[in-house]
DNA sequence: TTGTAACTGAGAATCAATTGCAAATAGTCA
DNA sequence: TGACTATTTGCAATTGATTCTCAGTTACAA
């Protein structure tokens, strides 16, 4: 069995919950590609499958996957939460282009370390953190010059 | 005239917009205290004033204040955006306690510097960034031990 | 002072997300 | 294996935040 499925099943069993075909579909879809996604994108992909599933079910499945440690919310674009798998890929932060919407991932060990230092200073026990930098990507910087009227 | 009002008036004039009593009320309220706030809190404080104002007006005023550089959205709590003044106080990041909701501010120059370095690496021109660390504050760490069933 | 484009409040509309409910079902236990 | 039961599901209704519409009001430039 695929590892993420095992993790999910274990999580559900431990909570007295069930591993249903719908939950499997959501899990499979998420792990069939890498990168970010939101609820709407998932629904678009899954609704037309044989025995598609409802939006409510996806909404109900997301927190389970998060608690199982398989996905996490990483940021918001146009006011919708974006998720990504956290199983298998190390933590990283994001550069988000305001213009084209592209997302670049990076990991800077030194920043991670400094964050821990800050937490220590406050006696704070960190659970998760999120760093997002918004701005203009390389490709968009030229076009952007003409429309700086915000 | 108070500085923030001057800034707001200048911004509005430059855009061909008007400085109304309602906008002044919102601005004054925001600058009457420090710390974070959300739309609902503002509305609660302003609705009962003489000639109180509507929720719609507050919603319409927020983006103007943001574009004028007077406030910024800093994070979300229970799915509501939280704002803070950015005029007068330097940029900082946040530690957010999952348990009690308290917010601690910090500024770590080295993290700021490293972010710029990352941006350079990507040829990315940063406009704003947001770093939030969620976890348990000093005071909550003891209570939290008994309820780690998430 | 006047003209006009911008503004306001109120309520309707929208949009994502949540919930109630009745029917279906996974998974346990006999 | 089969029955039982708490959990799930889809659907539709609901919620809660935010935005929009519109008719009356107003700031402010000329």
């Amino acid at each position: 069995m695929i590892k993420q499925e095992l993790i999910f099943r274990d999580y559900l069993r431990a909570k007295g919950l069930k591993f249903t075909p719908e939950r499997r579909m959501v899990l499979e879809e998420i792990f069939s590609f890498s990168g970010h996604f939101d609820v709407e994108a998932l629904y678009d992909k899954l609704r037309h499958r044989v025995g598609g599933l409802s939006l409510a079910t996806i909404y109900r499945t997301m927190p389970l996957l998060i608690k199982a440690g398989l996905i996490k919310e990483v940021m918001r674009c146009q006011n919708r939460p974006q998720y990504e798998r956290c199983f298998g890929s190390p933590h990283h932060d994001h550069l988000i282009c305001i213009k084209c919407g592209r997302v670049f991932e990076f990991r800077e060990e030194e920043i991670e370390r400094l964050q821990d230092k800050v937490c220590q200073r406050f006696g704070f026990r960190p659970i998760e953190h999120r760093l997002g930098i918004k701005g203009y990507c390389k490709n968009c910087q030229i076009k952007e010059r003409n429309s700086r009227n915000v």
Side-chain angles (χ1 to χ4, degrees), chain A:
Chain A
M1 192 187 308
I2 337 162
K3 199 165 175 186
Q4 61 267 21
E5 189 175 313
L6 199 60
I7 293 174
F8 197 26
R9 293 182 93 125
D10 282 349
Y11 170 79
L12 292 172
R13 185 175 313 116
K15 293 284 177 191
L17 305 177
K18 296 170 183 175
F19 186 69
T20 64
E22 289 81 5
R23 287 174 182 174
R24 166 183 266 142
M25 281 173 73
V26 174
L27 183 66
E28 278 179 2
E29 184 57 42
I30 289 174
F31 279 79
S32 73
F33 62 89
S34 61
H36 306 92
F37 61 91
D38 60 18
V39 169
E40 197 190 351
L42 271 187
Y43 183 53
D44 276 348
K45 292 187 180 181
L46 289 170
R47 63 195 303 185
H48 299 306
R49 284 226 194 141
V50 273
L53 78 191
S54 78
L55 195 52
T57 297
I58 296 180
Y59 274 113
R60 284 188 277 229
T61 303
M62 301 304 277
L64 300 176
L65 290 167
I66 291 174
K67 287 181 200 157
L70 289 163
I71 64 171
K72 64 182 165 200
E73 190 190 318
V74 285
M75 61 188 158
R76 263 162 209 272
C77 294
Q78 66 248 1
N79 213 23
R80 280 215 213 83
Q82 305 286 315
Y83 303 88
E84 70 182 21
R85 300 152 43 172
C86 48
F87 172 70
S89 69
H91 169 77
H92 52 256
D93 296 308
H94 298 91
L95 300 176
I96 303 128
C97 181
I98 298 169
K99 188 104 177 172
C100 67
R102 275 218 287 165
V103 174
F104 305 84
E105 300 179 352
F106 70 90
R107 178 174 177 83
E108 184 68 38
E109 293 303 337
E110 192 59 12
I111 290 182
E112 305 291 321
R113 202 183 63 73
L114 285 165
Q115 284 178 26
D116 288 340
K117 212 180 83 179
V118 169
C119 288
Q120 277 174 34
R121 204 156 70 214
F122 282 84
F124 193 87
R125 185 158 67 80
I127 296 300
E128 62 139 349
H129 75 267
R130 216 182 287 180
L131 168 58
I133 305 179
K134 296 196 178 180
Y136 297 93
C137 77
K138 215 171 192 169
N139 292 336
C140 290
Q141 284 180 39
I142 298 149
K143 306 174 211 161
E144 185 269 332
R145 256 174 230 145
N146 311 321
S147 58
R148 201 177 302 160
N149 53 354
V150 186

